[in-house]
Amino acid sequence: CVDWAAVAKLAFGTSLAVVVFGSGLGARFSDVSALLHRPGLLARSLMAVLVLAPALAVALGLVLDVHREVTIALVALTISPLPPLLPSRGAKAGGRSEYALGLVLVLALSAVPVIVVAAAVLQVVFGRDYVATPWAIARLLTLSVLAPLLAGMIVARFSPSTATRLAGPIVRAQRWLLPIAMIALLVSAAPRMWSLL
């Protein structure tokens, strides 16, 4: 019997690592500090991501009077501090890729204290205990975000030709991995979804 939940977890983790590695291939180490030289922009960005988005999710849950579980899910999505598609999407929208990359790194490095504090706040607001150990969060971020990003940046720095050759396969892998992960997730959750319906 196939453990579809494990398949979904592996596929999502692999997809995230591939996306972040691909972002690293197009980045330079000098890009990382671009956002840090603009403290005002950094403060506004963190305020939008870490404060305003969760507050909006809570407000929508209260105004629309949805189930508490739905509100919790919305808030949990907003406090997920990693936008892996932000660098490419930001560039397509006319933004600067170095800003997006810097924001991804700052959010990744701040994720451990952010999620721990957010879990405590959710426990107070919704009366439910959320277990989020700092070590587990740090390990997950290191393996799925920081390590692939640094690996891509190192490849781009020391072997630009290799980075260019890898760009095409990385894009193709991104197109397949996420749909596979979504299918595995739907299959694993289908019995519970059906029982709710």
Side-chain angles (χ1 to χ4, degrees):
C1 182
V2 178
D3 187 351
W4 287 104
V7 172
K9 182 178 179 180
L10 176 63
F12 274 114
T14 305
S15 176
L16 176 60
V18 169
V19 169
V20 176
F21 179 76
S23 297
L25 290 176
R28 299 185 300 253
F29 281 96
S30 59
D31 294 342
V32 176
S33 61
L35 184 59
L36 300 179
H37 292 304
R38 304 180 64 183
L41 178 59
L42 176 59
R44 293 193 300 273
S45 301
L46 294 178
M47 178 67 70
V49 174
L50 302 178
V51 178
L52 296 181
L56 179 60
V58 172
L60 286 175
L62 294 175
V63 170
L64 299 178
D65 194 28
V66 298
H67 290 291
R68 187 178 67 167
E69 290 78 5
V70 175
T71 303
I72 293 172
L74 289 175
V75 175
L77 287 172
T78 61
I79 63 174
S80 301
L82 296 176
L85 301 180
L86 183 58
S88 58
R89 294 288 176 87
K92 290 179 181 178
R96 300 176 62 182
S97 59
E98 60 268 23
Y99 160 77
L101 177 64
L103 184 57
V104 167
L105 281 174
V106 169
L107 290 173
L109 293 174
S110 63
V112 173
V114 165
I115 293 179
V116 170
V117 171
V121 172
L122 287 178
Q123 180 179 353
V124 172
V125 173
F126 296 106
R128 183 172 177 179
D129 186 22
Y130 293 87
V131 178
T133 64
W135 169 246
I137 298 170
R139 181 176 179 274
L140 177 63
L141 289 173
T142 299
L143 293 177
S144 61
V145 177
L146 295 177
L149 183 61
L150 289 175
M153 294 173 70
I154 290 171
V155 170
R157 171 67 176 82
F158 294 102
S159 182
S161 59
T162 302
T164 302
R165 288 198 305 272
L166 288 175
I170 289 292
V171 171
R172 289 191 293 272
Q174 292 172 3
R175 291 175 182 169
W176 284 101
L177 285 173
L178 191 56
I180 290 173
M182 291 299 299
I183 292 172
L185 179 63
L186 288 174
V187 171
S188 66
R192 296 189 65 184
M193 294 170 61
W194 182 252
S195 66
L196 290 174
L197 291 175

